[in-house]
């Protein structure tokens, strides 16, 4: 074995041991997971792969990082929380990014992301491949198997390296692992390889072979690496048998090397330690990132202009479908992913009608794997594509939640703005079709207030093409709420006597429906499918209550453009919000809280929403639970004390 | 591209101004043959379909659940597939923020009417609220107390603990519109049946202690049971909705020296015939003694008025407030052996057919007493084990008839049968 590899392995080990030392001295913040004992796995894969390839790693990523980037300074500065760190000190130990190297501390979640990244390479027709590292504990995560199924079926060039150190945190795998690890990959028809970190010649050869297999065959592979971590899971948390550790300590190739070649070993030791000390000295004098560089202020547009809404005599679903047809022709980066989206079926709500006939390479009909497909879309987005993932029913978005919250939402900031994830997730919400408790919900409230994600709700007042063209140009993740009942409606056909319909100059316009001439005396804010319901009762509300209502329909529900609402409420002092989800912690709560915080008078307000229990399927009960025309009308009458 | 047929909602087949689209039977641009059914429409009275008179490619101008105006175009059939963009130009242009018709709030309307304000003064207004009227008339609004305004609004409070509020169907609403044009707010209707009373009183008189030769207690008893089957008759119309009472409290009208009063038999449906008779007596006595409480007179969910003693052979009763129907009981025509039952009902909530069914059900139930052969209940029956008599048994299930080991038929009480 080439001595240089011992030098590199020792380098990783000494850097990590230094981290533990700095932690015990209270000089580092947070936590650290060292890979002491596993270094040769890092070197065999991350060290031998091409720099144009990519790596996704997990919480135990320092070794992988050093082997791939050789950026010791960036890593040390990162853990010391310095501006010069790889991610400006934002990500620290578990969240590293440099060039084509990425890590995230959520077990399993990086696997579909890496698959998406690899799929992007395949679409771009370069021969780059990727490696994703997981631990044996992560074999417990379902999304891993969703992804293995897909990468095999779609021949995605991704090498999964499972570093099997037998433990997950404090738990031995004999408590958590059933069956055989390699058989799991076998079952998906993924070629398997096996190595260990004690036969280092072999692991280097095998690693090379598996990398070449993936590259030349353009197929996935699964490489199991038996290994052992000699240190605790993170800092001091070790309850393993001392004698077991002792045994592996002796067997460790670096320790054997030190015994066999003490002179060379000590020479390396001094050389490396000196280099590390120098870097630490240097880093100690460096600055931390100022918050102002990190944080982005929400920009509110305050100089608003209002223009008349256009009537388009076409159905919403047809316009969305046209957007994709037109945009996919113009833009090679647009990828459409979802369940049942192929022609002639074209998706549960027909949004992708004909798309797969026109663009067979960029429309992916997927298995029922919401988490994996959202993760794959995230990976595509990180790799510079523009993926639109369709979640068949809004209710199923919960299965994609980890990918939304811990991945899409985080990449840009945790990697200190080196990369962005312009993924788009579309999903239809809403009841009224009798689909019952799990296919009728409006879960928007769980999809607002997620860091760095815009949430858009389509309506039938404005052309969805305008909205989707804006979304296409977004640099960051966007969630789009569509509405099942709105798909079939024509755009802006719902016209009420003596009202004018205008849209604001916001990027995602706020729609204002106000009396033609009179000053409004009460304000209603809604969005999405509820808009039509409220519009239908505007006249009746006036006749019965004597109040002149002004209605705002938001197209962006996170962050909300409050200016028009505050302007209106400043005159009316009455604010109703209407939404199809339930009231607690909903969009209405948010609007009323913000408006109350920002006006210096008391307002009469009321959140009108669904009843707080699962939506019944039977029509009469469903009508009573959802905010129907009647329910909204009565809530308003009650609140006005009439 | 040639237009082969344009289909409008036919006026002659319906009375309504609008119809509802129930289903569209083809997809846009499908090829349809002459004679194919194209669309199902619902009027206030019926569902009807429209057929194609030609063969060609179809385009709909409406969708399911749309309310479409009579005479408007709903379908066109072309000789080739229609490209949508050509159609856009034909869509109605949004008028440039123009007021065509002023809308008045109810408060404004009321004030205008009561004070003879000239409505044409509001010609260019979009909406006229009460404030707008005051402004125009130069009235200082602070003089009008807010209480006064609130009482003016005719919006009624509904106690949802006592009723279930339900939507009136679109069709019913449309029907109201239609009938209202002639009848104003009063949309009552009336149906009648007669009860064949031959051999009836002999059968029912034994049930009652005081009220012999009267149908009233029996009718109250049977009506209360039937109302469980016809909840919409035990309801009222409010705020354009149907409020269905959760309880059944039948009221009956008394009109003697102390004026017409309707008194309540609470939870009527839970009472026995005898209890109802007793209650009628008790309430009548209270009436005579002028001792009726507010509670005796309130929360009546359905009313029965019995004019038998007045010698009236037929009359049309009028519905009381917060009720949807009233049942009139006429005097028994002893020559013809019949009594007329007359149900007046609020057509906004009760279908004519329902009312008829209800009344016929009631007739049948009452006439069925003619078949009643009273098996004399021997209250001296004893339990053969403990010798308790049926009279002394407080368990209202009664005794069981058993065959003893000796092969004799005996009675046994629940306690002895089940063990203590
Ligand atoms: C989704 C998720 N669940 C739990 C954790 C907490 N956690 C961090 S590391 C770890 C053990 C992982 O074990 P393994 O995959 O075998 O990797 P190893 O630590 O052995 O390298 C756990 C449970 C996590 N980070 N993410």
């Amino acid at each position: 074995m080439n001595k240089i590899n011992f030098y590199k392995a020792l380098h990783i080990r000494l850097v990590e041991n230094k981290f533990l030392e700095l932690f015990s001295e209270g000089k580092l913040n947070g936590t650290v997971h060292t890979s002491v004992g596993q270094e040769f796995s890092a070197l065999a894969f991350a060290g031998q792969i091409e720099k144009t390839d990519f790596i996704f790693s997990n919480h135990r990523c320092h070794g992988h990082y050093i082997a791939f980037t050789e950026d010791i300074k960036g890593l040390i500065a990162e853990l010391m929380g310095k501006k010069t760190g790889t991610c400006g000190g934002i990500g620290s130990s578990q969240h590293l990014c440099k060039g084509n190297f990425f890590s995230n501390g959520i077990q399993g979640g990086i696997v579909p992301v890496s698959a998406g990244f690899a799929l992007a390479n395949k679409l771009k027709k370069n021969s780059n491949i990727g490696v994703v590292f997981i631990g044996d504990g992560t074999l417990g995560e379902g999304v891993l198997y969703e992804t293995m199924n897909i990468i095999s079926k779609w021949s995605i060039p991704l090498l999964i390296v499972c570093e099997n150190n037998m433990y997950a945190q404090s738990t031995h795998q004999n408590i958590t692992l059933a069956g055989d690890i390699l058989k799991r990959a076998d079952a998906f028809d993924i070629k398997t390889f096996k190595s260990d970190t004690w036969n280092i010649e072999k692991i280097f050869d095998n690693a090379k072979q598996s990398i070449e297999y993936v590259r030349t065959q353009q197929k996935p592979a699964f490489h199991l690496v038996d290994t052992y971590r000699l240190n605790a899971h993170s800092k001091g948390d070790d309850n393993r048998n001392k004698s077991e550790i002792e045994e592996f300590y002796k067997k460790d190739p670096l320790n054997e090397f030190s015994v066999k070649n003490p002179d060379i070993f000590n020479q390396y030791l001094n050389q490396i330690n000196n280099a590390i000390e120098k870097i630490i000295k240097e880093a100690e004098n460096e600055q931390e990132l100022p918050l102002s560089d990190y944080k982005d202020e929400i920009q509110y547009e305050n100089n608003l202009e209002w223009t008349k809404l256009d009537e388009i005599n076409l159905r919403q679903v047809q316009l969305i479908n046209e957007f994709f047809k037109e945009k996919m022709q113009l833009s090679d980066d647009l990828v459409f992913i979802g369940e049942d989206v192929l022609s002639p079926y074209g998706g549960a709500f027909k949004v992708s009608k004909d798309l797969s006939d026109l663009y067979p390479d960029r429309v992916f009909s997927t298995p029922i794997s919401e988490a994996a497909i959202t993760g794959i879309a995230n990976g595509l987005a990180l790799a510079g594509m523009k993926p639109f993932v369709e979640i068949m029913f809004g209710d199923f978005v919960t299965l994609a939640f980890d990918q939304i919250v811990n991945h899409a939402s985080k990449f840009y900031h945790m990697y200190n703005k080196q990369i962005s994830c312009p993924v788009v997730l579309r999903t239809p919400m809403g009841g009224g079709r009798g689909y019952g408790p799990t296919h009728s919900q409006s879960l928007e409230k769980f999809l607002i207030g997620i860091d760095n994600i815009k949430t858009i709700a389509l309506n039938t007042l404005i052309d969805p093409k305008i909205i989707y063209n804006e979304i296409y140009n977004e640099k960051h993740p966007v969630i789009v709420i569509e509405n099942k009942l709105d798909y079939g409606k024509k755009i802006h056909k719902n016209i009420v006597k003596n009202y004018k319909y205008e849209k604001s100059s916001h990027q995602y316009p706020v729609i204002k429906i106000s009396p033609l001439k009179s000053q409004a005396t009460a304000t209603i804010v809604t969005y999405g499918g509820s808009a039509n319901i409220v519009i239908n009762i505007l006249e009746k509300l006036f006749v019965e209550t004597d109040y002149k209502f002004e209605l705002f329909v938001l197209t962006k529900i996170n962050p909300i453009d409050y200016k028009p609402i505050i302007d209106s409420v400043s005159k009316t002092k009455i604010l109703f919000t209407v939404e199809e989800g339930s009231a607690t912690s909903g969009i209405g709560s948010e609007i009323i809280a913000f408006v109350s915080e920002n006006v210096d008078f008391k307002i009469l307000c009321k959140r009108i929403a669904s009843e707080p229990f699962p939506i019944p399927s039977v029509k009469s009960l469903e009508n009573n639970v959802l905010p129907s025309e009647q329910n909204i009308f009565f809530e308003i009458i009650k609140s006005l004390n009439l | 591209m040639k237009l082969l047929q344009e289909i409008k909602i036919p006026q002659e087949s319906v009375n309504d101004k609008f119809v509802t689209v129930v289903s569209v039977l083809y997809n846009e641009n499908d090829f349809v043959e002459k004679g194919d059914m194209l669309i199902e429409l619902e009027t206030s009275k019926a569902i009807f379909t429209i057929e194609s008179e030609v063969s060609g490619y179809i385009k709909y101008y409406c969708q399911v659940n749309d309310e479409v105006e009579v005479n408007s175009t709903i379908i066109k059939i072309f000789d080739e597939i229609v490209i949508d963009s050509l159609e856009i130009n034909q869509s109605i242009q949004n008028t440039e923020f123009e007021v065509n018709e002023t809308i008045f709030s109810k408060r404004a309307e009321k004030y205008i009417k009561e004070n003879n304000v000239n409505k044409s003064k509001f010609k260019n207004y979009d909406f006229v609220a009460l404030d707008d009227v005051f402004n125009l008339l130069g009235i200082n609004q602070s003089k009008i107390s807010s209480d006064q305004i609130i009482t003016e609004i005719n919006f009624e409070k509904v106690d949802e603990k006592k009723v279930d509020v339900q939507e009136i169907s679109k069709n019913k609403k449309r029907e109201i519109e239609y009938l209202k044009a002639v009848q104003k707010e009063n949309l009552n209707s009336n149906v009648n049946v007669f009860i064949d009373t031959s051999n009836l009183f002999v059968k029912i008189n034994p049930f009652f202690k005081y009220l012999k030769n009267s149908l009233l207690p029996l009718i109250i008893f049977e009506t209360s049971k039937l109302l469980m089957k016809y909840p919409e008759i035990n309801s009222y119309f409010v705020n354009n909705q149907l409020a269905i009472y959760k309880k059944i409290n039948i009221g009956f009208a008394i009109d003697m020296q102390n004026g017409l009063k309707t008194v309540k038999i609470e939870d009527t449906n839970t009472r026995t015939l005898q209890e109802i008779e007793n209650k009628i007596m008790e309430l009548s006595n209270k009436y005579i003694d002028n001792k009726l409480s507010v509670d005796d007179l309130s929360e009546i969910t359905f009313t029965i008025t019995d004019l038998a003693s007045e010698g009236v052979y037929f009359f049309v009763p009028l519905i009381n407030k917060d009720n949807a129907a009233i049942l009139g009981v006429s005097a028994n025509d002893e020559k013809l052996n019949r009594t007329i039952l007359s149900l007046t009902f609020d057509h906004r909530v009760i279908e004519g057919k329902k009312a008829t069914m209800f009344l016929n059900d009631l007739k049948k139930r009452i006439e069925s007493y003619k078949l009643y052969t009273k098996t004399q209940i021997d209250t001296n029956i004893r339990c053969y084990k403990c010798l308790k008599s049926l009279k002394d048994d407080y368990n209202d299930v009664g005794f069981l008839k058993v065959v003893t080991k000796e092969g004799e038929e005996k009675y046994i009480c629940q306690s002895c049968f089940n063990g203590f």
Side-chain angles (χ1 to χ4, degrees):
Chain A
M1 175 99 259
N2 196 332
K3 291 206 183 62
I4 185 74
N5 283 324
F6 286 101
Y7 179 85
K8 285 182 179 173
L10 186 62
H11 208 153
I12 295 172
R13 184 167 296 186
L14 294 178
V15 169
E16 290 199 305
N17 282 338
K18 193 73 199 171
F19 287 151
L20 289 175
E21 202 182 306
L22 290 170
F23 262 107
S24 59
E25 289 169 9
K27 290 191 181 157
L28 298 191
N29 203 14
T31 190
V32 70
H33 306 91
T34 66
S35 61
V36 173
Q38 307 184 176
E39 296 90 346
F40 286 105
S41 169
L43 290 168
F45 295 96
Q48 295 198 97
I49 204 169
E50 302 291 329
K51 298 297 173 231
T52 46
D53 294 329
F54 70 88
I55 305 263
F56 273 81
S57 178
N58 55 6
H59 58 296
R60 207 171 298 289
C61 59
H62 307 148
H64 308 144
Y65 180 85
I66 294 172
F68 187 67
T69 66
E70 296 179 357
D71 174 28
I72 311 267
K73 167 73 203 295
L75 180 67
I76 291 178
E78 179 65 24
L79 270 81
M80 290 177 72
K82 300 300 181 183
K83 193 175 167 176
T84 50
T86 303
C87 297
I90 304 296
S92 194
S93 171
Q94 313 188 68
H95 314 105
L96 302 175
C97 168
K98 187 180 170 81
N100 286 335
F101 183 96
F102 312 90
S103 72
N104 195 358
I106 298 292
Q107 303 311 326
I110 48 165
V111 182
V113 180
S114 61
F117 210 95
L119 177 60
N121 283 336
K122 190 171 167 171
L123 289 171
K124 291 173 188 165
K125 298 197 169 68
N126 57 38
S127 60
N128 299 332
I129 66 155
V131 167
V132 58
F133 287 97
I134 58 170
D136 54 300
T138 303
L139 294 167
E141 291 289 359
V143 73
L144 170 66
Y145 304 100
E146 291 185 12
T147 309
M148 293 219 283
N149 181 42
I150 293 174
I151 57 179
S152 175
K153 202 74 217 167
W154 297 358
S155 294
I156 294 183
L158 178 69
L159 176 60
I160 300 177
V161 176
C162 177
E163 296 182 317
N164 176 22
N165 59 19
M166 299 186 297
Y167 287 88
Q169 209 148 323
S170 68
T171 305
H172 192 278
Q173 64 182 219
N174 61 20
I175 294 178
T176 52
L177 188 78
D180 182 274
I181 297 175
L182 287 180
K183 276 193 196 156
R184 298 180 182 203
D186 268 346
F188 292 107
D189 211 7
I190 294 176
K191 188 170 171 69
T192 58
F193 295 83
K194 191 164 191 291
S195 309
D196 62 62
T197 52
W198 303 289
N199 296 299
I200 42 184
E201 299 270 355
K202 200 172 155 216
I203 191 178
F204 275 80
D205 281 353
N206 283 356
K208 225 182 196 143
Q209 266 183 40
S210 57
I211 289 167
E212 280 325 300
Y213 169 83
V214 171
R215 195 183 313 280
T216 54
Q217 301 298 309
Q218 287 287 298
K219 278 187 178 167
F222 185 96
H223 204 135
L224 179 63
V225 177
D226 287 341
T227 185
Y228 193 80
R229 72 172 148 75
L230 296 172
N231 281 347
H233 167 68
S234 51
K235 290 166 282 180
D237 43 351
D238 206 347
N239 50 355
R240 293 172 304 177
N241 196 319
K242 287 260 156 33
S243 62
E244 177 186 294
I245 303 173
E246 193 63 29
E247 188 190 318
F248 280 107
Y249 189 86
K250 278 195 209 125
K251 189 178 161 189
D252 174 62
L254 261 184
N255 289 340
E256 279 182 349
F257 179 77
S258 74
V259 175
K260 283 188 197 146
N261 312 285
D263 294 348
I264 307 179
F265 185 81
N266 284 331
Q267 188 197 327
Y268 286 177
L269 199 73
N270 287 334
Q271 203 176 324
I272 296 168
N273 272 336
N274 287 341
I276 293 174
E277 283 311 322
K278 214 176 124 207
I279 289 173
I280 290 177
K281 282 247 160 58
E282 200 182 312
E284 268 173 344
N285 293 323
E286 285 168 354
Q287 301 288 309
E288 287 180 9
L289 192 73
L291 189 60
S292 56
D293 280 10
Y294 174 62
K295 163 177 156 185
D296 349 78
E297 295 289 343
I298 296 177
Q299 296 293 324
Y300 291 109
E301 283 164 66
N302 285 332
N303 293 325
L304 297 181
E305 281 172 27
W306 296 90
T307 49
K308 212 175 125 187
L309 270 181
D310 305 315
E311 182 182 340
I312 301 170
N313 200 17
L314 291 176
R315 295 185 203 287
Q316 190 195 50
V317 66
Q318 191 181 346
L319 290 162
I320 303 175
N321 177 253
E322 272 176 20
F323 162 79
F324 283 111
K325 283 186 185 158
E326 290 165 13
K327 204 71 184 179
M328 287 183 87
Q329 174 158 35
L330 296 172
S331 317
D332 291 340
D333 58 356
L334 202 163
V335 179
F336 195 102
I337 315 172
E339 290 161 17
D340 293 291
V341 299
L342 290 190
S343 290
Y345 188 70
F349 295 94
K350 310 301 163 213
V351 168
S352 60
K353 190 165 173 272
D354 303 335
L355 277 190
S356 67
D357 291 340
L358 295 168
Y359 312 101
D361 300 343
R362 285 184 285 139
V363 178
F364 292 90
S365 197
T366 73
I368 309 168
S369 306
E370 288 78 10
I373 65 176
T374 308
I376 287 172
N378 281 341
L380 283 163
L382 288 178
M385 306 296 284
K386 188 74 194 184
F388 282 70
V389 53
E390 173 172 299
I391 302 292
M392 187 191 274
F393 275 72
D395 313 67
F396 314 153
V397 84
T398 53
L399 290 117
F401 219 50
D402 175 50
Q403 285 299 330
I404 296 170
V405 176
N406 288 322
H407 294 82
S409 147
K410 298 297 175 285
F411 289 128
Y412 177 68
H413 287 93
M414 79 183 182
Y415 296 152
N416 198 21
K417 308 184 181 177
Q418 297 177 74
I419 191 162
S420 71
C421 182
V423 68
V424 182
L425 184 143
R426 307 174 27 253
T427 193
M429 299 277 186
R433 282 192 168 211
Y435 290 156
T438 67
H439 287 62
S440 310
Q441 299 170 90
S442 295
L443 299 179
E444 294 82 270
K445 65 159 106 169
F446 300 109
L447 301 172
I448 60 164
I450 306 175
D451 308 323
N452 199 37
I453 293 188
K454 282 185 185 167
T455 312
I456 305 294
L458 299 186
N459 53 57
T460 60
L461 296 159
I462 191 163
D463 183 355
K465 277 186 179 176
I466 298 176
I467 305 294
Y468 269 120
N469 269 307
E470 288 297 333
I471 291 169
Y472 176 84
N473 293 323
E474 289 285 350
K475 190 177 159 195
H476 297 297
V478 179
I479 296 172
V480 190
I481 313 296
E482 296 171 359
N483 180 283
K484 291 171 206 139
L485 294 183
D486 279 354
Y487 281 134
K489 297 198 176 118
K490 291 188 173 169
I491 294 306
H492 187 29
K493 284 293 277 185
N494 197 348
I495 296 163
V496 186
K497 259 187 297 195
N498 293 359
Y499 269 92
K500 57 177 186 274
Y501 290 67
E502 294 163 291
K503 59 174 194 278
S504 70
S505 48
H506 291 105
Q507 183 193 7
Y508 298 100
V510 172
I511 290 152
K512 177 164 77 176
I513 303 173
S514 53
L516 269 185
K517 296 189 161 178
S518 304
Q519 172 61 52
T521 53
T523 308
I524 310 181
V525 182
T526 189
Y527 65 90
S530 304
N532 278 310
I533 303 174
V534 181
I535 291 170
N536 288 343
I537 57 169
L538 282 176
E539 182 179 331
K540 178 174 165 192
L541 277 172
F542 166 68
V543 172
E544 296 290 344
T545 68
D546 211 37
Y547 285 93
K548 296 170 183 169
F549 288 83
E550 177 164 64
L551 172 66
F552 292 93
V553 180
L554 305 174
T555 46
K556 179 157 61 75
I557 56 173
N558 184 60
I560 291 171
D561 295 304
Y562 286 106
K563 166 95 166 112
I565 306 174
I566 290 181
D567 286 352
S568 173
V569 174
S570 298
K571 293 184 192 124
T572 65
K573 312 223 176 352
I574 297 176
L575 173 60
F576 295 103
T577 62
V578 180
E579 69 198 285
E580 217 186 293
S582 58
T584 304
S585 295
I587 318 298
S589 314
E590 201 43 52
I591 294 170
I592 288 173
F594 189 95
V595 172
S596 304
E597 282 167 358
N598 287 281
V599 297
D600 50 11
F601 47 83
K602 194 169 154 37
I603 56 178
L604 188 161
C605 54
K606 172 78 189 170
R607 291 165 297 164
I608 300 170
S610 274
E611 298 273 7
F613 38 75
I615 299 167
S617 179
V618 50
K619 204 178 171 84
S620 57
L621 296 188
E622 184 184 37
N623 276 344
N624 276 331
V625 168
L626 298 177
S628 61
E629 286 178 23
Q630 214 57 43
N631 297 349
I632 297 169
F633 180 72
F634 271 104
E635 289 297 335
I636 290 178
I637 296 280
K638 250 197 288 184
S639 306
L640 291 173
N641 238 333
L642 294 174
Chain B
M1 187 181 65
K2 220 173 85 199
L3 176 65
L4 303 176
Q5 192 194 353
E6 178 168 351
I7 299 175
K8 298 182 175 186
I9 310 258
Q11 171 74 79
E12 66 272 22
S13 60
V14 288
N15 292 321
D16 315 76
K17 257 165 83 186
F18 289 89
V19 302
T20 311
V21 179
V22 181
S23 60
V24 297
L25 302 169
Y26 285 90
N27 291 324
E28 208 81 320
N29 285 330
D30 276 354
F31 186 78
V32 298
E33 305 264 357
K34 185 175 169 183
D36 283 348
M37 307 248 228
L38 305 177
I39 193 163
E40 275 189 297
L41 302 166
E42 186 180 20
T43 70
S44 62
K45 295 283 176 221
I47 291 185
F48 68 102
T49 52
I50 292 183
E51 287 177 11
S52 181
E53 291 168 11
V54 296
S55 300
Y57 295 92
I58 189 162
K59 182 153 174 51
Y60 288 97
Y61 291 82
C62 57
Q63 53 196 59
V64 172
N65 279 333
D66 273 0
E67 298 254 319
V68 277
E69 204 166 348
V70 165
N71 263 329
S72 61
T73 300
I74 45 168
I75 293 173
K76 285 183 185 174
I77 297 173
F78 296 94
D79 64 342
E80 54 183 279
I81 288 182
V82 181
I83 294 118
D84 262 319
S85 54
L86 293 175
E87 290 287 310
I88 294 176
N89 303 338
Q90 301 181 3
S91 72
I92 323 137
Q93 285 298 311
N94 197 355
T95 43
E96 191 66 51
F97 299 165
E98 226 176 75
V99 179
N100 291 323
E101 179 194 332
T102 305
I103 298 169
F104 294 82
S105 74
K106 282 195 177 165
R107 283 189 192 176
E109 192 82 55
K110 186 161 189 258
Y111 188 91
I112 287 170
K113 213 169 168 187
E114 283 171 0
N115 296 281
N116 283 325
V117 181
N118 183 354
K119 255 190 166 181
S120 66
K121 287 184 175 168
F122 300 100
K123 192 161 173 259
N124 281 317
Y125 282 61
D126 51 0
F127 296 97
V128 178
L130 190 57
D131 276 355
D132 297 312
V133 182
F134 292 156
N135 279 339
L136 188 91
L137 300 178
I139 296 174
N140 185 347
Q141 296 156 39
S142 56
K143 279 189 205 139
I144 312 264
S145 87
S146 57
D147 289 2
Q148 202 177 332
I149 293 173
I150 283 164
T151 49
E152 273 172 19
I153 207 131
N154 58 6
F155 204 84
E156 292 185 36
K157 283 209 171 151
V158 179
D159 184 349
E160 302 214 7
K161 278 195 221 93
K162 294 186 176 145
V163 294
D164 279 325
V165 177
Q166 289 186 2
E167 270 316 297
I168 303 280
S169 73
K170 266 188 198 159
N171 277 331
K172 201 74 208 170
K173 281 187 187 152
R174 220 181 289 130
E175 204 177 284
I176 293 171
E177 284 305 309
Y178 177 66
L179 294 174
K180 223 160 74 175
V182 192
Q183 333 235 354
K184 286 273 172 50
E185 289 282 345
N186 177 5
L187 293 186
N188 297 340
S189 185
N190 180 271
V191 287
N192 303 280
V193 295
F194 67 83
I195 295 176
D196 177 357
T197 53
S198 51
N199 200 26
L200 180 61
F201 290 105
V202 279
K203 297 283 186 174
I204 63 170
N205 279 342
F207 288 109
F208 303 113
K209 209 163 155 189
Y210 315 101
L211 298 170
K212 309 276 181 191
N213 290 329
S214 167
L215 286 176
L216 184 64
L218 183 60
I219 288 177
I220 293 178
F221 176 79
E222 288 298 341
T223 302
S224 73
K225 305 288 185 236
L226 260 187
L227 287 176
M228 297 195 270
K229 179 172 160 196
Y230 295 93
E232 63 274 54
I233 296 178
N234 193 49
S235 75
Y236 70 108
F237 182 83
V238 62
N239 307 333
N240 283 323
Q241 285 181 312
L242 168 63
I244 296 185
Y245 286 109
K246 294 177 181 170
K247 291 179 134 205
I248 295 176
N249 297 337
I250 294 186
F252 67 95
I254 317 179
D255 191 3
M256 293 186 274
Q257 69 270 34
N258 291 333
L260 176 69
K261 293 258 159 70
T262 306
V263 293
K264 173 178 72 175
I265 303 182
E266 191 154 12
D267 292 324
T268 326
N269 54 325
T270 65
R271 296 175 189 267
T272 64
L273 262 178
Q274 284 72 28
E275 283 170 359
I276 287 175
E277 184 192 22
N278 290 338
K279 198 77 195 167
I280 294 174
M281 295 310 293
E282 175 199 321
L283 289 165
S284 304
N285 289 334
K286 271 182 151 178
Y287 169 88
I288 290 165
D289 300 341
N290 234 335
K291 283 194 175 138
L292 287 169
S293 65
V294 176
D295 186 52
D296 290 329
L297 302 170
S298 46
E299 289 174 20
I300 290 165
T301 66
F302 180 86
T303 310
I304 297 180
T305 172
D306 180 3
L307 298 188
S309 57
E310 314 288 324
V312 170
Y313 292 101
F314 172 68
F315 70 102
V316 176
L318 291 180
I319 304 170
N320 286 337
K321 185 168 180 297
D322 297 345
N323 278 191
I326 185 166
L327 180 70
V329 183
S330 300
N332 187 40
D333 183 329
E334 275 153 21
K335 282 198 203 105
L336 297 171
N337 274 330
R338 66 179 207 183
T339 295
I340 292 181
L341 295 184
S342 173
L343 184 78
T344 304
F345 59 95
D346 185 339
H347 208 278
R348 294 171 302 179
V349 296
I350 302 168
E351 303 287 333
K353 209 170 104 198
K354 264 275 155 64
T356 316
M357 276 163 60
F358 169 80
L359 211 50
N360 271 318
D361 264 4
L362 184 60
K363 168 186 159 82
K364 266 190 229 138
R365 276 169 171 259
I366 296 197
E367 288 177 353
S368 72
Y369 282 79
K370 296 201 286 186
L371 303 173
Y372 181 80
T373 46
K374 191 174 174 200
T375 42
Q376 266 303 328
I377 296 164
D378 181 357
T379 46
N380 287 322
I381 286 172
R382 287 179 185 278
C383 171
Y384 84 96
K385 287 220 146 162
C386 67
L387 302 179
K388 180 165 73 184
S389 78
L390 194 53
K391 236 189 333 210
D392 304 327
D393 184 39
Y394 297 112
N395 189 337
D396 62 1
V397 186
F399 287 6
L400 293 155
K401 209 173 193 175
V402 293
V403 180
T404 63
K405 271 194 200 140
E406 294 74 37
E408 286 178 81
E409 283 194 1
K410 293 252 164 89
Y411 294 95
I412 184 165
C413 72
Q414 295 290 325
S415 318
C416 290
F417 184 73
N418 292 322
F420 291 94

